[in-house]
Amino acid sequence: MKITKIFTFDSSHMLDGHDGKCQNLHGHTYKLEITVSDGIIKGGAKDGMVMDFTDLKAIVKQHITDPFDHAFIYHGGNGRESQIAALLESWNMKTLRLSCRTTAENMAVEMYGRLKNAGLNVCSVKLWETPTSCAEYEGG
């Protein structure tokens, strides 16, 4: 059995060296779909559930939406992006350093890993960068 919960958050990023307009600093309202799978719980307060949606929300909030929301997400291995992050941090603005380029594809993999490490039996992460463009990661 699988369940899915949808979240939204706002972040900024840039893709330094990209050959299109995404090379510029810009933001998105991301839509995030988290799907988890497991057997149905038998008995107790959670009887008939894969997991309580409230529990799923709490895990995603702690490991994804709280760190990512309203942050400048940047590739820590990129000098220009790191300089922008340092400037923002000097103004007490929120940043989030990733070890990879901040494409929707890489961010979906990052989020999948964070949720797996938190003990969630996640089977897919779908990250919508715009209403018509998304990346989906199913592990492996």
Side-chain angles (χ1 to χ4, degrees):
M1 178 64 69
K2 296 178 183 177
I3 62 168
T4 300
K5 186 156 180 64
I6 297 171
F7 305 86
T8 61
F9 63 93
D10 299 294
S11 296
S12 63
H13 75 136
M14 62 185 286
L15 299 175
D16 190 36
H18 181 62
D19 60 358
K21 62 184 179 178
C22 290
Q23 69 182 320
N24 297 302
L25 179 61
H26 64 284
H28 298 281
T29 295
Y30 290 95
K31 182 171 92 171
L32 175 64
E33 296 180 38
I34 303 297
T35 301
V36 298
S37 63
D38 211 342
I40 300 291
I41 298 168
K42 303 289 186 197
K46 316 263 188 211
D47 184 47
M49 298 178 178
V50 169
M51 80 178 294
D52 191 317
F53 284 111
T54 302
D55 296 338
L56 177 57
K57 180 181 178 180
I59 293 168
V60 174
K61 181 180 186 314
Q62 179 183 355
H63 296 281
I64 307 297
T65 55
D66 280 355
F68 281 80
D69 189 40
H70 283 80
F72 170 61
I73 304 168
Y74 71 101
H75 178 200
N78 180 281
R80 286 170 35 108
E81 292 182 28
S82 294
Q83 286 179 345
I84 292 168
L87 176 63
L88 293 172
E89 290 163 3
S90 75
W91 292 339
N92 293 317
M93 292 188 175
K94 186 176 177 182
T95 67
L96 179 63
R97 182 187 192 278
L98 299 184
S99 62
C100 56
R101 199 168 194 214
T102 59
T103 62
E105 296 88 340
N106 285 341
M107 288 173 48
V109 172
E110 171 75 18
M111 292 171 179
Y112 183 98
R114 286 175 179 233
L115 295 173
K116 275 287 192 190
N117 288 340
L120 192 62
N121 194 20
V122 60
C123 58
S124 70
V125 169
K126 186 182 280 190
L127 182 64
W128 293 84
E129 198 172 71
T130 70
T132 61
S133 304
C134 71
E136 183 174 9
Y137 185 66
E138 297 177 340

